[in-house]
């Protein structure tokens, strides 16, 4: 980052802080920025309000101007370079370990095995597996 860009960025932060301060110090009347000039001097209450209104206008103009300049400098400074992070881009990779891909065709059950019933119960599959014991598992163990 160039030193001019850094300097203008700091100036913009100071202008933003000053603008916040000036806006918060203003009286919350209905007048605001649309009020015309006053014949009273700067030392009167009305003159101070006019000063705050002018200060807000100048600071807002500086803020917008600096924003445009900084945006132009940032776009010129990064021309020709790609600063995009592509580490999270989706790539089609083959699963390792022989696992079937999630988008592949559904696995068909074996010829002799009954199809598992479709149920909303999350424990139905475990119950169905427990009920389909093999003959070796049903025989009592001899000691």
């Amino acid at each position: 980052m160039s030193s001019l860009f850094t300097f203008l960025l700091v100036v913009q932060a100071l202008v933003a802080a000053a603008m916040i301060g000036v806006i918060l110090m203003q009286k919350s009347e209905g007048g605001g920025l649309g009020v015309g000039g006053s014949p009273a001097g700067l030392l009167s209450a009305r003159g101070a309000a006019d000063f705050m209104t002018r200060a807000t206008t100048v600071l807002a103009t500086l803020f917008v101007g600096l924003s445009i300049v900084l945006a132009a400098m940032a776009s010129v400074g990064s021309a020709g370079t790609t600063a995009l992070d592509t580490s999270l881009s989706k790539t089609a990779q083959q699963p390792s370990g022989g696992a079937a891909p999630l988008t592949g065709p559904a696995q068909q059950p074996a010829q002799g095995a009954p199809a598992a019933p479709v149920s909303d119960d999350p424990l139905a599959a475990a119950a169905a597996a427990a009920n389909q014991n093999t003959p070796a598992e049903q025989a009592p163990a001899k000691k």
Side-chain angles (χ1 to χ4, degrees):
M1 197 171 352
S2 73
S3 59
L4 178 63
F5 185 81
T6 306
F7 173 74
L8 289 178
L9 196 61
V10 170
V11 170
Q12 185 181 27
L14 293 174
V15 167
M19 187 169 58
I20 289 170
V22 168
I23 288 172
L24 289 177
M25 285 191 294
Q26 288 182 11
K27 214 180 213 183
S28 65
E29 294 179 1
L33 296 174
V35 178
S38 172
L42 182 62
L43 299 177
S44 68
R46 189 71 215 160
D50 285 342
F51 172 74
M52 298 294 249
T53 302
R54 288 187 186 120
T56 303
T57 305
V58 168
L59 288 171
T61 305
L62 277 172
F63 184 81
V64 169
L66 281 170
S67 296
I68 293 171
V69 169
L70 286 170
M73 287 178 68
S75 68
V76 169
S78 67
T81 61
T82 303
L84 294 177
D85 183 17
T86 58
S87 64
L88 297 177
S89 65
K90 293 182 180 179
T91 58
Q93 297 177 354
Q94 295 295 328
S96 61
L102 294 176
T103 58
Q107 298 288 332
Q108 297 294 329
Q111 287 291 338
V118 177
S119 173
D120 290 337
D121 185 12
L123 299 176
N131 290 334
Q132 294 179 352
N133 292 331
T134 60
E137 291 175 349
Q138 292 176 354
K142 294 181 182 179
K143 293 187 179 184

